[in-house]
Amino acid sequence: MTDETLAGRLCAVGTPGLSTALRRRGYHDVVVEGVRPLTPGQRFAGPARTLRFVPFRPDLFAERGGGFNPQKQAFDTVGAGEVLVIEARGLPETGTLGDILALRARHRGAAGVVSDGGVRDTEAVVATGLPVFANGSHPSVLGRRHVPWETGVVIACGGVAVAPGDFVVADADGVLVVPAAIVTEVLAEAERDEGRDAWIAARVAEGEALDGLFPMNEAWRACYEAEPQRT
Amino acid sequence: MTDETLAGRLCAVGTPGLSTALRRRGYHDVVVEGVRPLTPGQRFAGPARTLRFVPFRPDLFAERGGGFNPQKQAFDTVGAGEVLVIEARGLPETGTLGDILALRARHRGAAGVVSDGGVRDTEAVVATGLPVFANGSHPSVLGRRHVPWETGVVIACGGVAVAPGDFVVADADGVLVVPAAIVTEVLAEAERDEGRDAWIAARVAEGEALDGLFPMNEAWRACYEAEPQRT
Amino acid sequence: MTDETLAGRLCAVGTPGLSTALRRRGYHDVVVEGVRPLTPGQRFAGPARTLRFVPFRPDLFAERGGGFNPQKQAFDTVGAGEVLVIEARGLPETGTLGDILALRARHRGAAGVVSDGGVRDTEAVVATGLPVFANGSHPSVLGRRHVPWETGVVIACGGVAVAPGDFVVADADGVLVVPAAIVTEVLAEAERDEGRDAWIAARVAEGEALDGLFPMNEAWRACYEAEPQRT
Amino acid sequence: MTDETLAGRLCAVGTPGLSTALRRRGYHDVVVEGVRPLTPGQRFAGPARTLRFVPFRPDLFAERGGGFNPQKQAFDTVGAGEVLVIEARGLPETGTLGDILALRARHRGAAGVVSDGGVRDTEAVVATGLPVFANGSHPSVLGRRHVPWETGVVIACGGVAVAPGDFVVADADGVLVVPAAIVTEVLAEAERDEGRDAWIAARVAEGEALDGLFPMNEAWRACYEAEPQRT
Amino acid sequence: MTDETLAGRLCAVGTPGLSTALRRRGYHDVVVEGVRPLTPGQRFAGPARTLRFVPFRPDLFAERGGGFNPQKQAFDTVGAGEVLVIEARGLPETGTLGDILALRARHRGAAGVVSDGGVRDTEAVVATGLPVFANGSHPSVLGRRHVPWETGVVIACGGVAVAPGDFVVADADGVLVVPAAIVTEVLAEAERDEGRDAWIAARVAEGEALDGLFPMNEAWRACYEAEPQRT
Amino acid sequence: MTDETLAGRLCAVGTPGLSTALRRRGYHDVVVEGVRPLTPGQRFAGPARTLRFVPFRPDLFAERGGGFNPQKQAFDTVGAGEVLVIEARGLPETGTLGDILALRARHRGAAGVVSDGGVRDTEAVVATGLPVFANGSHPSVLGRRHVPWETGVVIACGGVAVAPGDFVVADADGVLVVPAAIVTEVLAEAERDEGRDAWIAARVAEGEALDGLFPMNEAWRACYEAEPQRT
């Protein structure tokens, strides 16, 4: 399965089902807390590229903050279908990307950006069409709180560890991180569960009660399994 | 007055006027703090059904978390016009209802749901048309933080005590709890005040100054009371 | 330059560029934190009128809370093009303005309102067309938490000092305070920077890489300065 | 009654009883939240002197931050038995007084200091013997977050309004503000209640059950009132 | 094993070892967050008695707040060796027990009290000798925020579910909840682990390096198991 | 100057004076926020060794959490006089060091430990005599929230960037980070300022007023400079 197909199926099945399959494997803390889409309704999935900021300090900023710094390198080289994930220590009080960087990521074909910091030039970023999940908008430049430090390392974003290559899935329920090593099995399980839940939802929409149906007792399960598409 | 009529009038008069009438009676803390509508513009009112969650613990979840648990019982039996209110200890970091439960509540004719926890399957819940006020969206299942423990007891939701049968009113300003014993008098007072304020607002829209008008001095009051519909 | 022209240009250039120009002058903390527009897309600029609330106390409320109090005086006399800024100590849990006051401010021609407290009568306030940035909606009256104490003094709003006459600029990125004494030079510098950044953005949209372009190396700078409109 | 006698009796009766007497009069929010004594066991009472800080801004600091600024004026002139109360917007992240100011206040005979900001030179401040309630210690100078703005106005400290001349009482339970106009009656009521509660406590210490005793039923009340010192 | 023996051994082994043994069984969230001992160095253990408060509301307080209310019932009847655990929704801003109640609990022989709310009459409570873990001190009466609602139910305290009869262990590291059904096996495992860790600590105190010793490799393990008291 | 001499002088001059000298050079954010000493009165200084934790995830913990992991490596090899600084993302809700690690660091001659996470085995850690500044105590093992990821990199601790080799100074006012490149000049300036402030404090203790003395006017300055030890 190509990354593109995988991303499409991860997007389609959605974060709730994936979250449940991850929880069964002991992954209880894999949701990026506190971020929201700049534009409601955005959803994407793809492998992670990571970018780590450290707190602003004049000497460290002099060392790595100027010129073609790690932040600009990350946006300049992000691959098609990739998701750029930024560690900004949950601070909404400064921008962590702006319109020029968003344009570049869009041009490169990035699937999206997730930052647990703020967005600058919000309207222009929205206009690029690049999906962004962040924890707010702010007019301040990066240097108010951060030094762009390094790329390609394991980071913390919204309380979750993100490693380069992890799959990141973002939709209306939030942003989820799926380790690459288990993404296929987690996806398959989530699709199976979501299929079952969609069938239950259809019954409830027809007026059936939850009792015995959700979760299914033996009678309902027999009924469910008897349907052609399930066998 | 039927509950339906009452709910309609509570909705129409809105939470600000009701809040003032409650404050005059010593009710200073009757607004559910921190919740927002899933879809802007939603408003509803109705008597409360309550559902209490306690923090997740494996043994307690084994006892009451599976099968037709108190959460599912509450959604399965909520009455037409009722508002289901959930105590989730203000935690946004897990879902407290999802699409199947929302479908069922909608089918039962519930007026709405208020939860000081998160919503799962957000887009599907919105699609059911059931109005929901919560403190965020999250892909995680209930068991990440909660055990659905019991129904029909006095709970705390968003910092407010809610008893079964209290009237709950939700609109763009927030969610308000009105004890059933005083709902009629509170409603009447709020309607009278809102009528007066609407009259003042009309004068201000015409260009009158606030000084002497808001609050009304004797001259303005005489003018107000002289209008046919007020006598 | 009239205040109106100035306001128009401040609005057009936007808070990010102004924020950078302020930062160069040592103004690191001039963004009102935690406020959002009631209606997405609102933007305005203008000189500040200030209003200070202190915590509710029965005796102090008796002294200044009733009648034509400082809050009502401020809304009743706000000037055309002015921005009313309210110190509400960051508390979302009560209203700090409602529909009647908003109508009056709108009638007076106020450019907008910024409050680090809540808004009451949210839908009606939106309907007046007056742009408002606040930190939430709430049905409670002012007196739940505040006494309207005085106008025309230096206040704290969203963590920022605001003096009467400061220029306040609000857009999708946030609300920024610009001291009147430096507003002209800050504006000029922001316009120049934004012009340059827009030119860079256009190059990036055409597919140019960030490396060497953002920030510009000598080659790109020569190219930029060679354009007719830049010379 | 002299202020000194009054202060001594306020200290002796303590904040819990005073808080109850204030609550009966509608004063629900008169405790300075979030402050702690630098040295456990400190207690004091006295009339308030107030000092208001506003957020740091270079121009405002240039105007009032240097030289013999309002902060230094307040400490230099605080009266014997007075309590200096500082509005620091609840920020622990900078000092709001240091050892030199504490020495001066001690020399002037101040009863104590209450600040909802930090303390600098903690050990030296403790060594002066001046009782201080604050919300932490911090090595940074005032100018990191504040401009010392004015004295002698109504301020907010720890969420409470404090007016010059209010009585401030501080002990192990916290810091309480008592309006001067009602301090005598509130004190008398608190002393009466505390006398009764001490009597009840003595009974409980002897092994009596709470049922019927706390609160007292008629039998216990008769017993209490029969004691010589109560009649 | 009597409850008293059990409590003694739980106290002796301490919360860290018990926490690890609980974690191995899937109990990740069994520490009461945010509470501290009134007096440093206090430690206790015992079975839980529970008390649940709901948010203050005039009508509910009238129903259950006065007289011999559930709070007073709980303190009046707590058993020797028991730990009273109070759900106060994590609010430090009001007292949840005072000196009279503490005296009574002490007289009854309670092992201690855990409240995720405040303590009133702090010095007098300390003087009773009753160990109390709470989240602060406050002069306000219970009714500022709470109605004492019921006893003997499963509650949430400091983010943890506590059921009547659970074992509660409190020491300098915090307060831990151990379900009664597994307390014996958890205790045994913790004692075994702590014995091993004490042996490792002794080696480290002698100058051994951590590498290979913590955790133990085969050589060190052989050495450890060869000691007489381990075989 | 040896590191030991430097550390001694940094300790002696204290964090307030150093903080001011750093602020003059543009270092506004170099105080580790939110940490406190385990034992009041502890103070130390020394060059930093860094340790970075990332959020717990089963796969990452399997990779680096077991055996002789980076945390144990750091404690096993910390040098005499060094300060171990730990990035724990400000979470108090789990231990980040315990008694065995503290014993080892003490044996190695570490100057102290600074962690923006919790401490486990608090009493035993205190007993080792190793000075520790952390943000609380907690019985849980590291793995509840963290994977010990790497050492020797720039980290964020309490909101501040810390690079290996930075000087860390901890006393009753807090924990300060001084870049090695400027530590000598910052120290000299702080010593000079503290000498002057001590002289002023002595005058204030003698009864002099602040006006003209703090800051010094020309007359006082002449007096100060005329003293033998100042020339």
Side-chain angles (χ1 to χ4, degrees), chain F residues 153-168:
Chain F
V153 297
V154 174
I155 61 170
C157 180
V160 178
V162 184
D166 285 339
F167 276 81
V168 177

Side-chain angles (χ1 to χ4, degrees), chain D residues 21-125:
Chain D
L22 284 163
R23 182 169 163 82
R24 284 197 199 100
R25 286 158 180 78
Y27 289 79
H28 302 297
D29 299 309
V30 279
V31 175
V32 179
E33 306 288 346
V35 299
R36 295 173 301 282
L38 275 198
T39 305
Q42 292 180 320
R43 52 195 309 147
F44 59 80
R49 285 285 292 266
T50 62
L51 173 57
R52 181 179 170 237
F53 295 163
V54 299
F56 175 80
R57 227 172 72 177
D59 55 343
L60 299 178
F61 197 85
E63 183 184 338
R64 297 207 192 170
F68 190 55
N69 65 33
Q71 178 201 31
K72 285 162 183 164
Q73 294 165 28
F75 279 86
D76 215 23
T77 62
V78 62
E82 290 183 333
V83 177
L84 198 46
V85 187
I86 302 174
E87 169 173 342
R89 301 183 310 287
L91 302 177
E93 65 218 43
T94 204
T96 59
L97 74 153
D99 58 352
I100 294 175
L101 298 183
L103 271 171
R104 181 62 181 160
R106 182 67 167 171
H107 184 84
R108 297 281 302 172
V113 175
V114 178
S115 167
D116 67 345
V119 172
R120 200 174 177 241
D121 310 316
T122 303
E123 292 187 349
V125 170

Side-chain angles (χ1 to χ4, degrees), chain D residues 15-16 19-20 23 28-29 31 33 41 43 172-173 197 200-201 204 207-211 214-215, chain E residues 56 67-68 72 75-76 93 100-101 103-104 107 119-123 137-141 143-144:
Chain D
T15 57
S19 161
T20 303
R23 182 169 163 82
H28 302 297
D29 299 309
V31 175
E33 306 288 346
R43 52 195 309 147
D173 286 317
D197 285 357
I200 292 174
V204 171
E208 297 292 344
L210 302 176
D211 194 4
F214 184 50
Chain E
F56 175 80
F68 191 55
K72 285 162 182 163
F75 279 85
D76 215 24
E93 65 219 42
I100 294 175
L101 297 183
L103 271 172
R104 180 62 180 161
H107 184 85
V119 171
R120 200 174 177 242
D121 309 316
T122 303
E123 293 187 349
S137 290
H138 207 280
S140 298
V141 288
R144 191 189 184 204

Side-chain angles (χ1 to χ4, degrees), chain B residues 58-115:
Chain B
D59 54 343
L60 300 178
F61 197 85
E63 184 182 337
R64 296 207 191 170
F68 190 55
N69 64 35
Q71 178 201 32
K72 284 163 183 162
Q73 293 164 30
F75 279 86
D76 215 23
T77 62
V78 62
E82 289 183 333
V83 177
L84 198 46
V85 187
I86 301 174
E87 170 174 340
R89 300 183 311 288
L91 302 176
E93 64 218 45
T94 204
T96 59
L97 73 153
D99 58 351
I100 294 175
L101 298 183
L103 270 171
R104 181 60 180 162
R106 182 69 168 170
H107 184 84
R108 296 280 304 171
V113 174
V114 177
S115 168

